[in-house]
Structures are given as structure tokens and as C-alpha cells.
Amino acid sequence: MSSKTTKNNMASGTRRVTLKTIAEVTGLSLSTVSLSLRGGTTLKQETRDKVNEAAKALGYVPDRAGVRLRTGKTNVIALVLDGSEDSIDFARNMIQGIGHAIHGTRYHLTVIPEFERHLSTDTINYILSNRTADGVIITHTGPRDPRVQMMIDADFPFVSHGRTEFYTPHAYHDFHSEDFAALAVRRLAGKGCRDIMLVIGDDSTTNYHNIVTSFRKEAARAGIEARIFQGAAKLSPADMRAVGLDLAVAADRPDGIICDSEMRTIALVGGLTEGGVTLGREVQLIYKQTSGILPTLFPQMDSIREDVFAAGGELTRLLLRRIDGAAVGDLQTLAEPQPHWRSG
Amino acid sequence: MSSKTTKNNMASGTRRVTLKTIAEVTGLSLSTVSLSLRGGTTLKQETRDKVNEAAKALGYVPDRAGVRLRTGKTNVIALVLDGSEDSIDFARNMIQGIGHAIHGTRYHLTVIPEFERHLSTDTINYILSNRTADGVIITHTGPRDPRVQMMIDADFPFVSHGRTEFYTPHAYHDFHSEDFAALAVRRLAGKGCRDIMLVIGDDSTTNYHNIVTSFRKEAARAGIEARIFQGAAKLSPADMRAVGLDLAVAADRPDGIICDSEMRTIALVGGLTEGGVTLGREVQLIYKQTSGILPTLFPQMDSIREDVFAAGGELTRLLLRRIDGAAVGDLQTLAEPQPHWRSG
DNA sequence: AAATGCAATTGCAACGTTGCATAACATGTG
DNA sequence: CACATGTTATGCAACGTTGCAATTGCATTT
């Protein structure tokens, strides 16, 4: 007479398996079952086996709401997803990387898309005050990123894709942008370029500064002319294409270009080509690549790769260790750029 | 003596605001506060105002774990993210669309990346049996998609990006692939093509069949030759490029091509161009476009657009209505293809 | 035989919320 | 004045979990 009136029905109509169910089946108390499942060492081995068996047979999975209410642990990590369009399929790769890393753990991933960058502190504030997640992953980090500041102040577990300039250390995983720029400059110099240009966007990120600094330094070392085209972030693809066209026919056309974004590379190459430039001949171009499709599009062009899938995985592993209390000093890693040089 | 030992500390050290807090502040009982906040009409207006004021002043937000434990409502929607790479930035656009639609609601988005397609029923099964979300969004739906079957059987709220062939109706939002194919064929015919080819991948989706059927029908009506290049899904971008190259130099080269994917379009165009074909001259090409970057890359080529951001928003709205109990018959919508014809 | 020590198990309260059943109170009716 | 009626507010139990304090059973020791 109770099975019909029970609220706890699953799709199939059977009652949900909770600790209570296991307790009833095994004849043990609820507390014992709970303790056993959490690996209580004071329990008899026989008891523990019995509980494990029953849990497995019944397909027990701890109720997230129960755990969360009692312990405060959400078993959720939050990805704050920047709206940036620089890198093709960045979101998919990052999410797949995270997903791969949390597979088999109790963690779920919630994604919080960001629409307006200046409101990003609201997002973080919401997560902090509502205990929405156990940890946060942010991307496109700035040197004095207010989101980082907030989470440091709150002592909340997070990891940033990108470094900062804060005195207090924090967990991060970052692309080694300095090496990227240096590699690119050396490659261009090696190909005989004497007047190179860096096309780069979004100066709000730390990577921007790292690239610019390294670019200048390495060009100086190689003794070649180095120019920077800034503010590309605000340009639409069509405008960027126009820039490429202008560049192609300019009197002081550079003989080497480094581009930090796939989207800009596509637009730029379109303009340059339309302007009559043959890439790899009159102008050498090296771009930062993440998606795998661009090498197919531009098989003759050099590129340097960041593996965003791997970055997602690494960020996640760092974050989980941070959540488990690891010292942030041990949670700082860099990914080496992977050069893809064409024809020697 | 209790403030120090309290567990419920927020980052700032202040106690978390719960119904109890409001009850203490207003001098009302916990039950009354709860009732009032949920809009209990039996309460005096004066009381309700008092509660609302206090809640606002204290910044009360209902605890998700508490609500979830008590009611079973998770306030979560789950996006099962297909690993497909056909469409550039599909994931970002979809997620942003969903994010935009749930903004201001109590819903959060969790994303479950899918690695192996044949395990997709495990994912759904997990969600169903663990009450992980209130509703699910799936993409890349097949005609007899087992995920759909499962959720129909379980009477679980979901919406699919794509239609199915099941007898039992369900909520969906889909791109009008038939119109896409028809539009494309007519455009090619109008440009004088007499021998057109459809390059299409992944025959596991319903869209595949819709496109193929419509393509054949419309070509027959126009009285032109119609070929289909199948199985493109399994080809790498490099292989696809090779296909383009082969096609360019083939004796029976088609004079018009329709491509259903951005990634394949990029690779294909690369091969065709390398083979000496000038798109828009010897061969006309129309592709399905979602990202906005391709028109910059191929300014001379026609395309037909699906707005994935809008699709994400629409899917979400349908799903939320479904969760609220709307009849599925009212939750089926199609998005019209948006032609972007170049030069008249 | 009572007391001690130890191993193994359990009762209880709490986390924040909701909804039912009931209580308190004021007002109107016989 | 006793009683019913309606309005407004509240007590209580439950959702599933955890961790502490307490209990049980049993073998040793005094």
C-alpha cells in the first residue's frame, strides 16, 4: 500500500536507491552504511563487503543534493566562458578537455557564458556567495584581472588559463606566449625577413603583454625591424580583411607577419591574397593555431599550436588538486608552443 | 559564542542568508517566510511586504541544495555536447544562446561532452536515473535516435536540435534542411549549373536524409544532374582537401557543389583551388554557414546560414516550457535558412 | 562478579527547503 | 455566552546525507 503512494519514483517506477535502501537490504543501520561507503576503517571487513556488494547490486549513487546540503560540497566546477571569437572552436576544445578530465569523478561541469566582459565580477560574485561550485576555471586572464583578485581575497579555489601580475600566487595553466613569439620571430628571421609585424588583439590579457615584450626583445636580438599592429580585437573580420588589403599594397609592406589569432589570420590572409600577395613568397606569415582546420586551409604556411583540449584537461587537474587543498605553488604550469613548420 | 563555531561562513565571514535569517529579522516563523516568498496568497499584504523587503535587503537567494532535496527540482538543464567538428564554433554559439535564454532565471547549464557516439545512451541514462537535470538538450539528432527513445519512454523533459521519425511527438527545434537544399539547388540551377554535387557527411542524422531527399527532388524538378558525395564525415580535413583536388581535375567535374559543413567547405575549397578551379567561375559552390568567418574567407561565394545562437535560445525556451508542462505539440519549431547571395 | 578496555555499530541532529495539518485569533451567528 | 466561520500564521516531518556522541557486545583484567 505504500509503493503506490511513494513520491520517490524513478522513470521505471522503482524507488530511488538511497542509503536507506541499502540499510534495509543489508539489515545494517543507515549510519553504518554511510560510514562504510565512505571507507570507515573501524568497520569489520565482512560488513564493508556486504555494503559494497549491495550498493553495487542496487546501483547506488549518492544523491548530490543530500551531500551538498550536508557538506557544502557541490561537486561542480564552473567554467566561465569568455565570448571571445579569436580561436576557432576554443569553447568546444576546452569543454571537451575538461569533460575528459572529470570523467569518472563525481564532478559535473557547469558553463557560465559571459556576454559583457565588464560584468564578469558579477558572475564570480554570484558563484562565491551562492556556493554554486567547488572551483572555477577562467580564461583570457588579464594582468590585474579583477576576477582573480576576488577569488584570491575570498580564498576560493580557482585556476586561470593565463597568468597574472598579482603578488599572491595562484593556480594557473598558461600557454607559453613568450616562447611562441620568440619562436615565430626566429623563424621569420631565419627565412630572411628584415621587417616584421605583429598583428595582435585584446590588450586586456596578460598574453598580449607577454607576446609583445618577447616579440620586441627577440626582434632586437635578431636585429630586424619590428612593428606592432594593435587594437585588432575591435575590428570585424571584414575590417581585418581590409587591413590585409591595405597592407598588401602599402609601400612599407612588412616581409613577415605574426598573427595571434585564427580568426584574424583568416581575414588577414584573405585581404593580403586579394591584394596580390603570395604568402610564403613576398610575405611570410606565422600564426597561432588551435583548431586543426587552418593547416588544411593554409597548407603552405607555418603555424604554432596551442592544444586547447590538453589545456582544458590540465586546468581541471590543477583545479581538482587545489580543491583538495594542494598548495598553489605546485599548481602552476606552462604549455610549450608546438611549431608546425612547413617545408623545412 | 556561536558565531565563531558556525560552519556556515561565506567568504566574508558573515553567516549565509537563509529563510531562518529572514525569519529572525522579521520576527515571523520560518514557514511563513517560505510561504510568503513563494507567493502565498493567504498571507496579509503587510506581512508579504515585510518579508520581501527583508529578503531583498539581506540578499537572500534560495539554496539550491535545499530546494533540490526537498522538491526534486534541480533547476539545471543539461546540454549533451556532440563532439562533431562540422560547424565552426557550434559549441560556443549554442552555449551562448542557451546562456542568454536562461539569464535571469534560476536555471544553470551543465554541459556533458560526448566522446563516443555509441555511448550516448549511457549519458542519458545517467541523467535520468540520477535526476541530474530538469531537462536535456541534445543535438545532431538521428531519425531513430536512441536517446530520444529513452527520454520519451521515461517521459523526461527534453528538446532535440533536429527532428526524428518517432510516432510519439516530442519537442524539437530544427533547421529547415529541406528548404536549405531546395534553395541551394535552385540557386545553382539559376546560375546555369547542369551537373551538381552534394557533399555531405554523417548519415546518422535526420538532417542528412532531409537534405538528400530535398536535393534530389529539387534537382529533378530543375531537370539537372544530381550526384551525392557521401561518407564525408569519416574523412579528415586533409583527405577532404584531396577530394577537392581530385574533383578539380576530374573529367566529369560538376559545375555546382553544395556543402553542408563549414569544415568540409574549407578543406574542399582548398583542394579545388589547388587544382586550378576558380570558384564562382568554372564551379559554383554554396555552403551552409554558421560562424560568420567564412563569408570573410570566401567573399565571392554564396552561403546559407543557420543561426546557432538563436537556435540555442529557442531550444531553451521550448525546453523550459516543456518542463513547466506544456504540451509537446506546441513545442516544435523550425528555423528558416538565411540565404547570403553574392552579387545578385 | 564486577569493572575495564576495545572493537563494532548506531542514534541523533543538522544542513535549507516545502507542504500539509493544525493553531491562534478575530469576527459574526444562534 | 457558546459556537461556527474565516483569515492568517505556524509546527512538524520529510527529502538524503554526514559526523559526533553514545551504545552494544565481547574478551580481558582485577
Side-chain angles (χ1 to χ4, degrees):
Chain A
M1 97 191 262
S2 72
S3 72
K4 262 290 161 54
T5 49
T6 308
K7 271 184 178 178
N8 279 330
N9 287 21
M10 293 192 349
S12 51
T14 50
R15 190 145 152 275
R16 175 154 226 273
V17 177
T18 70
L19 292 176
K20 198 167 155 198
T21 320
I22 301 180
E24 282 161 4
V25 168
T26 58
L28 293 160
S29 82
L30 210 160
S31 301
T32 308
V33 174
S34 169
L35 182 60
S36 173
L37 252 18
R38 277 172 295 125
T41 48
T42 66
L43 262 23
K44 251 198 313 197
Q45 189 57 47
E46 187 193 331
T47 309
R48 299 174 62 182
D49 293 346
K50 195 161 51 168
V51 171
N52 285 336
E53 256 173 56
K56 194 173 204 175
L58 294 166
Y60 171 74
V61 179
D63 183 86
R64 318 196 103 231
V67 174
R68 182 165 171 177
L69 183 58
R70 173 65 226 240
T71 64
K73 182 126 212 264
T74 63
N75 287 304
V76 163
I77 68 179
L79 169 68
V80 180
L81 192 63
D82 193 283
S84 162
E85 301 185 346
D86 284 355
S87 177
I88 289 175
D89 276 339
F90 180 87
R92 183 177 57 79
N93 286 313
M94 178 62 71
I95 289 169
Q96 297 249 352
I98 297 170
H100 192 256
I102 60 178
H103 195 254
T105 73
R106 284 191 181 172
Y107 286 91
H108 285 185
L109 169 67
T110 99
V111 177
I112 307 174
E114 195 112 272
F115 299 103
E116 304 188 57
R117 192 60 191 271
H118 64 279
L119 295 177
S120 61
T121 49
D122 289 358
T123 307
I124 301 297
N125 199 36
Y126 175 79
I127 297 174
L128 297 194
S129 53
N130 295 111
R131 305 230 239 48
T132 287
D134 294 336
V136 170
I137 299 176
I138 64 171
T139 65
H140 300 87
T141 313
R144 300 236 146 236
D145 202 303
R147 304 172 297 176
V148 170
Q149 181 72 70
M150 287 179 81
M151 293 191 278
I152 287 179
D153 289 348
D155 196 27
F156 189 86
F158 75 98
V159 59
S160 59
H161 186 229
R163 287 159 280 175
T164 66
E165 289 172 0
F166 290 111
Y167 179 72
T168 315
H170 61 85
Y172 67 73
H173 174 70
D174 199 4
F175 181 62
H176 202 314
S177 304
E178 303 92 308
D179 280 1
F180 159 75
L183 267 170
V185 171
R186 283 202 293 270
R187 173 72 173 173
L188 290 180
K191 284 195 164 186
C193 297
R194 308 297 306 157
D195 178 13
I196 63 178
M197 173 180 265
L198 172 65
V199 176
I200 187 169
D202 199 356
D203 64 356
S204 67
T205 68
T206 313
N207 269 336
Y208 172 91
H209 300 283
N210 289 340
I211 291 177
V212 164
T213 305
S214 176
F215 170 77
R216 287 219 175 92
K217 198 176 86 182
E218 202 64 27
R221 180 179 298 175
I224 60 180
E225 205 65 37
R227 285 184 276 165
I228 296 179
F229 183 90
Q230 281 173 307
K234 293 167 200 91
L235 300 181
S236 70
D239 289 343
M240 198 69 231
R241 189 181 170 99
V243 168
L245 188 51
D246 288 350
L247 226 45
V249 300
D252 62 342
R253 184 177 72 195
D255 54 10
I257 296 178
I258 299 171
C259 191
D260 73 329
S261 128
E262 294 183 315
M263 287 301 200
R264 278 192 280 281
T265 300
I266 289 177
L268 199 62
V269 169
L272 285 165
T273 307
E274 188 182 346
V277 167
T278 306
L279 274 309
R281 300 262 314 275
E282 298 100 330
V283 176
Q284 306 292 332
L285 175 38
I286 298 184
Y287 60 94
K288 181 175 159 193
Q289 167 242 324
T290 60
S291 83
I293 186 67
L294 256 70
T296 304
L297 182 58
F298 307 129
Q300 76 288 6
M301 274 166 47
D302 289 335
S303 66
I304 298 178
R305 178 151 195 265
E306 173 179 13
D307 187 336
V308 177
F309 180 91
E314 176 69 2
L315 285 164
T316 307
R317 284 186 294 274
L318 295 175
L319 181 58
L320 295 191
R321 285 173 54 203
R322 175 71 181 85
I323 291 171
D324 287 344
V328 290
D330 303 333
L331 304 174
Q332 307 181 326
T333 61
L334 289 175
E336 280 306 320
Q338 303 160 8
H340 288 244
W341 301 153
R342 301 297 163 174
S343 56
Chain B
M1 90 192 268
S2 73
S3 73
K4 262 290 162 55
T5 49
T6 307
K7 270 186 180 176
N8 277 333
N9 289 20
M10 292 194 346
S12 51
T14 48
R15 191 145 152 276
R16 174 153 228 273
V17 177
T18 71
L19 291 177
K20 198 168 155 197
T21 320
I22 302 180
E24 282 161 6
V25 167
T26 57
L28 292 160
S29 83
L30 211 159
S31 301
T32 309
V33 174
S34 169
L35 182 60
S36 173
L37 252 18
R38 276 172 297 123
T41 48
T42 64
L43 264 22
K44 249 198 315 196
Q45 189 58 47
E46 187 193 331
T47 310
R48 299 175 62 182
D49 293 345
K50 196 160 50 166
V51 170
N52 284 336
E53 258 173 54
K56 195 174 205 174
L58 294 166
Y60 171 74
V61 179
D63 183 86
R64 317 196 106 229
V67 174
R68 182 165 170 178
L69 182 58
R70 174 64 226 240
T71 64
K73 181 128 212 262
T74 62
N75 286 304
V76 163
I77 68 178
L79 169 67
V80 179
L81 192 62
D82 193 282
S84 161
E85 302 185 344
D86 284 354
S87 176
I88 290 177
D89 276 339
F90 180 87
R92 184 176 57 78
N93 285 314
M94 178 62 70
I95 289 170
Q96 297 249 352
I98 297 170
H100 191 257
I102 60 177
H103 194 255
T105 73
R106 284 191 180 171
Y107 285 90
H108 285 186
L109 169 66
T110 99
V111 177
I112 306 174
E114 196 113 272
F115 299 103
E116 304 188 57
R117 193 60 192 271
H118 63 279
L119 295 176
S120 61
T121 48
D122 289 357
T123 306
I124 301 297
N125 199 37
Y126 175 79
I127 298 174
L128 297 194
S129 54
N130 295 109
R131 305 227 238 50
T132 287
D134 294 336
V136 169
I137 299 176
I138 64 171
T139 65
H140 300 87
T141 314
R144 300 238 145 233
D145 202 304
R147 304 172 297 176
V148 170
Q149 182 71 70
M150 287 180 80
M151 295 191 279
I152 288 177
D153 289 347
D155 196 26
F156 188 86
F158 75 98
V159 58
S160 58
H161 186 229
R163 286 159 281 174
T164 66
E165 288 173 0
F166 290 110
Y167 179 74
T168 315
H170 61 85
Y172 67 74
H173 173 71
D174 199 5
F175 181 63
H176 202 313
S177 304
E178 304 90 309
D179 280 1
F180 159 76
L183 267 169
V185 171
R186 282 202 293 269
R187 173 72 174 173
L188 290 179
K191 284 195 163 186
C193 297
R194 307 295 307 154
D195 178 13
I196 64 178
M197 174 180 265
L198 170 66
V199 176
I200 186 168
D202 199 356
D203 64 356
S204 66
T205 68
T206 313
N207 269 336
Y208 171 92
H209 301 283
N210 289 340
I211 291 176
V212 165
T213 306
S214 176
F215 170 78
R216 287 219 175 91
K217 198 176 87 183
E218 202 65 28
R221 180 179 301 173
I224 60 181
E225 205 65 37
R227 284 184 277 165
I228 296 179
F229 184 90
Q230 283 173 306
K234 293 166 199 93
L235 300 182
S236 69
D239 288 343
M240 199 67 230
R241 189 182 170 100
V243 169
L245 188 52
D246 287 350
L247 227 43
V249 299
D252 62 343
R253 184 176 72 195
D255 54 10
I257 296 177
I258 298 172
C259 191
D260 72 330
S261 129
E262 294 184 314
M263 288 300 199
R264 277 192 279 281
T265 299
I266 289 177
L268 200 61
V269 169
L272 285 166
T273 307
E274 188 183 344
V277 167
T278 305
L279 274 310
R281 300 262 315 275
E282 298 99 328
V283 177
Q284 307 291 332
L285 175 38
I286 298 184
Y287 61 94
K288 179 174 160 195
Q289 168 243 325
T290 59
S291 84
I293 185 68
L294 256 69
T296 304
L297 182 59
F298 306 129
Q300 77 287 6
M301 274 165 48
D302 289 335
S303 65
I304 298 178
R305 178 152 195 263
E306 173 179 13
D307 186 338
V308 177
F309 179 91
E314 176 68 2
L315 285 163
T316 307
R317 284 185 294 274
L318 294 175
L319 181 58
L320 296 190
R321 285 172 54 203
R322 176 68 182 88
I323 291 172
D324 287 344
V328 291
D330 302 332
L331 304 173
Q332 307 181 326
T333 61
L334 289 175
E336 280 305 320
Q338 304 160 8
H340 289 244
W341 301 154
R342 302 296 164 173
S343 57

